[in-house]
Amino acid sequence: MLSIYSDRHRLHHGKTELIDGLMQPCFEMPQRLDMVLERVRSARLGEVQGPDAFGLAPVLRVHARPYVDFLASAWQQWQALGRSHDALPLNWPVRGLRTDRIPHDIDGQLGYFSMDAGVPITAGTWTAVQEAADVALTGARHLQWGQRSAFAMCRPPGHHAASDYMGGYCYLNNAAIAAQYLRDQGCRRVAVLDVDYHHGNGTQSIFYDRADVMFISLHADPLSEYPYFLGHADETGQGEGIGFNRNFPLPLGTDWNTYRPALDEACASLAAYGPDALVVSLGVDTFEKDPISGFRLRNQDYLRIGEAIGGLARPTLFVMEGGYAVADIGVNAVNVLQGFEARA
């Protein structure tokens, strides 16, 4: 399998995030992708190449221009105030507050364009997130050129980022950008399957009213787990998108015996939809040893996930999302890819 990777992901390295009521070191760190790359190479998965440059046009097919402009300028605005530490939001426009005006001040903008305090902006964040989008787009281009599958080693991840806000370590929605690119290049239908532990709220919101991109997510029940405010089973789409959004919220403690029936049902829905291409938001934070998650999947279960996806026999782009058990992240991600290749 062809893998796409860029060292520029290292330019984004947030120092702290707000979690459990404390400012703590970020779980989303460069070592995550180091371990994935090491495993890709040691398992001899296939060629690893760098990304092509696509510019902002494909990004703006998914993300709102004011939001992209904010990401591009945020660090410079922050630094102009004499601040050299990570930029983090301090307040958000919740119910009853106005959202029709974008604040001029960077502190206001950080709150306006975010959903939580897990999105530190550093000097290299904008370069890194652009590169992550290019990694995903390069993988999508190879599918367009006839490749059966590709693995986009994206960092930072993307599935919590909506068209106009960041959150959950995510700034640009790499999977959504790739899915839209595939549509723009002639795919009649595209599907996104999200197997990350956390619901892909950003991806859902981007495609929620559309029938040409189906979104399916298996994740921890949002009544008990982040992102809390999207990901319920009754969210099935709106307008033309009714019936093309499916959520499988699963209980804390889910192991393979609970996970497998949901995955089988999700794959049956994908098969019935018949996409020309499939984008997989590949999070492996469903692992039993993940420090910020509550599922109980084991190393060998990721081979089975890959086999199930491979059984769909669709051109497939895997886009790296979450996974914070650093020692095992590479093993689990590559197990999915090897399981896929064994079945596809």
Side-chain angles (χ1 to χ4, degrees), residues 43-246:
R44 298 184 178 180
L45 187 69
E47 178 187 356
V48 178
Q49 70 172 54
D52 301 323
F54 287 78
L56 287 181
V59 171
L60 292 169
R61 292 285 291 134
V62 166
H63 291 286
R65 167 64 81 171
Y67 173 61
V68 174
D69 289 345
F70 156 75
L71 287 177
S73 66
W75 179 255
Q76 286 73 26
Q77 293 187 68
W78 184 257
Q79 194 176 43
L81 297 175
R83 301 167 178 174
S84 58
H85 50 283
D86 293 357
L88 282 170
L90 56 80
N91 69 319
W92 291 270
V94 297
R95 295 173 296 279
L97 300 183
R98 292 184 64 172
T99 59
D100 60 323
R101 294 184 180 181
I102 300 173
H104 294 166
D105 184 83
I106 182 59
D107 288 303
Q109 291 175 27
L110 285 163
Y112 184 89
F113 289 115
S114 68
M115 63 179 278
D116 60 36
V119 276
I121 289 180
T122 72
T125 297
W126 175 236
T127 299
V129 300
Q130 285 183 96
E131 194 81 348
D134 281 342
V135 166
L137 286 163
T138 302
R141 172 179 279 174
H142 281 279
L143 256 63
Q144 174 202 349
W145 288 346
Q147 195 90 16
R148 183 185 64 174
S149 61
F151 177 35
M153 286 188 271
C154 294
R155 184 185 167 270
H159 71 149
H160 294 307
S163 64
D164 59 356
Y165 65 79
M166 57 187 181
Y169 312 138
C170 302
Y171 304 84
L172 295 179
N173 194 314
N174 307 306
I177 291 167
Q180 183 61 53
Y181 175 84
L182 289 165
R183 278 288 293 115
D184 290 342
Q185 298 303 310
C187 288
R188 184 176 58 90
R189 284 183 164 188
V190 178
V192 180
L193 172 64
D194 193 323
V195 295
D196 192 277
Y197 173 77
H198 304 95
H199 177 253
N201 59 283
T203 314
Q204 172 173 305
S205 68
I206 288 166
F207 297 120
Y208 200 60
D209 60 355
R210 291 171 56 173
D212 59 333
V213 181
M214 170 176 269
F215 177 69
I216 297 182
S217 179
L218 288 73
H219 52 271
D221 192 329
L223 287 175
S224 304
E225 187 56 276
Y226 182 94
Y228 299 112
F229 306 111
L230 276 183
H232 300 282
D234 62 354
E235 297 160 14
T236 60
Q238 65 183 13
E240 293 182 2
I242 292 176
F244 297 99
N245 192 94
R246 292 205 67 184

Side-chain angles (χ1 to χ4, degrees), residues 305-325:
I305 291 173
E307 290 169 359
I309 296 170
L312 294 167
R314 298 289 171 178
T316 302
L317 173 66
F318 293 90
V319 176
M320 194 70 213
E321 300 283 4
Y324 308 99

Side-chain angles (χ1 to χ4, degrees), residues 175 209 308 327-328 334:
D209 60 355
D328 288 271
V334 171

